[in-house]
Amino acid sequence: GRRPGPHSLLSPCQFLRRQQVLQLYRKILRALREVPAEADRRYLKDWAREEFRRNKDATEEDAIRMMITQGNMQLQELQRTLKLAKS
């Protein structure tokens, strides 16, 4: 359940999770800089921003952990695709 009160009161676990999410977000944006076509880059950036914004109020530990895992897999996929495109 949701506890009332300011969002700044994060448990240590939530704080760490939040750091992980922000780190993942930054990694994704960094990877997207490598996308050659500007239109694709902009589209993917908007998509990523939307995804993170849509899930930003998630409080369910397992759900968040799963999203982080999925995000990391998508990031690896993206990096692999970019590497192939370069070679």
Side-chain angles (χ1 to χ4, degrees):
R2 294 284 298 269
R3 282 196 312 275
H7 287 301
S8 55
L9 295 175
L10 294 174
S11 71
C13 204
Q14 284 170 317
F15 178 75
L16 278 175
R17 197 66 71 222
R18 198 194 150 138
Q19 295 304 94
Q20 278 182 299
V21 169
L22 290 172
Q23 207 175 8
L24 173 62
Y25 186 54
R26 279 196 292 265
K27 278 187 201 161
I28 289 174
L29 289 184
R30 200 172 305 136
L32 290 181
R33 273 189 226 142
E34 305 285 309
V35 175
E38 196 193 327
D40 293 343
R41 203 166 46 232
R42 196 177 301 132
Y43 167 79
L44 288 166
K45 217 181 212 162
D46 289 342
W47 168 81
R49 195 180 301 130
E50 225 8 82
E51 279 289 296
F52 277 86
R53 186 179 294 138
R54 212 183 45 203
N55 295 312
K56 83 173 169 24
D57 291 322
T59 48
E60 191 58 53
E61 270 299 302
D62 294 333
I64 297 172
R65 201 172 306 127
M66 204 174 74
M67 286 188 264
I68 292 174
T69 304
Q70 258 175 344
N72 275 309
M73 277 165 24
Q74 284 168 329
L75 174 61
Q76 283 164 6
E77 190 56 45
L78 176 68
Q79 288 168 330
R80 206 176 11 251
T81 308
L82 289 169
K83 208 171 281 168
L84 287 175
K86 269 195 191 132
S87 60

